[in-house]
Amino acid sequence: MTPDRRPLALPLAVFLLLAFGLSWLVALPLWLGDGLEDPLFYPLAVAVMATPGIAALAVVFFVERPEHRARELGLWPLRPARRLVGNLALALVVPVALILAALPVGAALGVYPADFVHLSGFREQVSAQMEALGAEEALPPVWVLLAAQLVTVAVGAFLNLLPALGEELGWRGWLLPRLYRFGAVPALLASGVVWGLWHAPLVLLGYNYPGAPGWLGLLMMVGMCVVVGTVFGWLRVRSGSVWPAALAHGAFNAAIGFSFAFARAGETVDTVHATILGWSGWIVPLVLVAVLLATGGFRPAPAEPAAAGEEPGSRA
């Protein structure tokens, strides 16, 4: 990934108008209906995830019109293979590790009601699910169930890959490289702020921060997106590809349930303060980001030369 020096004003304006406008348009039925309780919430939330990708594709195909469109979005080339595979492995591990690390930090700071020994909250969740399904069989040991859930996170990361790619094509595929002309830190901060504000149609309905007023929920979402988006951006920059960022996003979404699995039964988790969504959960990723900044971790990977006839999506 190399910094882009082409004119930015028009492509950026079109991208932001489409990404934000389409997200509000898709979410409008929720505002006119029952909000988070609407039966269409989850299908529409997934549809909203596609809007940054649609915006990026529109800009690349109709505004910028580069020679190698797939390359412009980080979709291609898939080489060097060793670098790509290594970054995909990091994409599976790092988001899960950050989500889990947030919990003992929150517990130590007194903002996360942890039960790491008896897992009473997880037991309560599993029992409620089994009761809803009408199952009466004896449950396996809770640690076995928890280990099984960890395995399903890896599967879920790949199942979430395409919906996550809908976002990552926009944020880390198109936007971040275009902003890198201003330097790594400004680009990562600005793309994270944009990503956070883009969540407004759902966050203002109470999503992710149900106990907070809308303005505070949106402010916290912006903070979380800056912190987590910087980690996703690191994967994009060091790999030269959007695929590790998309897989990391998928793994993040698949593993977010762990934020509540280790809570005490009957306790409410305040996501403004606790879990990776809250300020206490940003401490570990901020330490990681500081280390990466100090060690040059945000220097772009060398670009792979384009081979004739190799790249899909090239213009004739």
Side-chain angles (χ1 to χ4, degrees):
M1 188 187 82
T2 55
D4 197 315
R5 299 298 179 188
R6 291 169 296 180
L8 181 62
L10 177 60
L12 182 61
V14 172
F15 172 78
L16 294 177
L17 180 64
L18 287 175
F20 280 74
L22 288 174
S23 69
W24 276 101
L25 182 63
V26 173
L28 184 60
L30 302 178
W31 282 84
L32 299 177
D34 296 325
L36 302 185
E37 303 301 321
D38 197 294
L40 292 176
F41 173 76
Y42 287 105
L44 289 177
V46 172
V48 166
M49 293 179 70
T51 59
I54 293 171
L57 289 169
V59 170
V60 167
F61 274 82
F62 301 110
V63 180
E64 295 177 326
R65 305 181 67 191
E67 182 179 3
H68 300 293
R69 292 161 177 164
R71 181 181 289 269
E72 289 293 318
L73 294 171
L75 291 168
W76 197 263
L78 303 179
R79 65 173 198 266
R82 179 176 298 180
R83 184 176 75 188
L84 180 61
V85 170
N87 283 289
L88 289 172
L90 284 173
L92 282 174
V93 172
V94 172
V96 180
L98 294 179
I99 287 171
L100 292 175
L103 307 183
V105 172
L109 293 171
V111 295
Y112 180 73
D115 183 3
F116 297 123
V117 177
H118 301 293
L119 300 177
S120 58
F122 184 65
R123 292 175 187 272
E124 186 178 64
Q125 290 178 23
V126 173
S127 297
Q129 291 169 1
M130 296 295 287
E131 183 178 347
L133 294 172
E136 299 179 357
E137 298 86 4
L139 293 176
V142 69
W143 286 103
V144 173
L145 294 173
L146 194 62
Q149 186 167 338
L150 188 60
V151 172
T152 64
V153 166
V155 176
F158 286 97
L159 292 176
N160 291 336
L161 178 60
L162 287 181
L165 184 63
E167 286 195 45
E168 292 304 318
L169 273 180
W171 311 133
R172 260 65 63 175
W174 187 86
L175 181 61
L176 181 63
R178 298 311 185 276
L179 296 179
Y180 238 69
R181 69 185 68 191
F182 303 113
V185 172
L188 292 161
L189 287 174
S191 60
V193 169
V194 171
W195 184 29
L197 291 174
W198 169 85
H199 285 88
L202 300 184
V203 171
L204 293 177
L205 287 173
Y207 191 58
N208 285 331
Y209 301 94
W215 67 267
L216 180 57
L218 188 57
L219 180 63
M220 297 304 297
M221 195 68 189
V222 169
M224 192 278 291
C225 286
V226 168
V227 173
V228 174
T230 298
V231 176
F232 293 174
W234 165 63
L235 292 169
R236 168 67 165 105
V237 168
R238 79 189 306 270
S239 68
S241 171
V242 74
W243 291 107
L247 186 60
H249 196 147
F252 184 90
N253 289 350
I256 196 68
F258 279 122
S259 298
F260 306 95
F262 294 93
R264 285 195 305 270
E267 295 279 355
T268 299
V269 177
D270 187 348
T271 51
V272 169
H273 302 288
T275 79
I276 193 71
L277 298 173
W279 62 264
S280 66
W282 306 344
I283 295 173
V284 172
L286 283 174
V287 171
L288 172 60
V289 168
V291 171
L292 292 172
L293 285 171
T295 57
F298 292 101
R299 284 194 293 266
E304 286 291 308
E310 172 191 13
E311 183 178 353
S314 298
R315 290 175 61 189

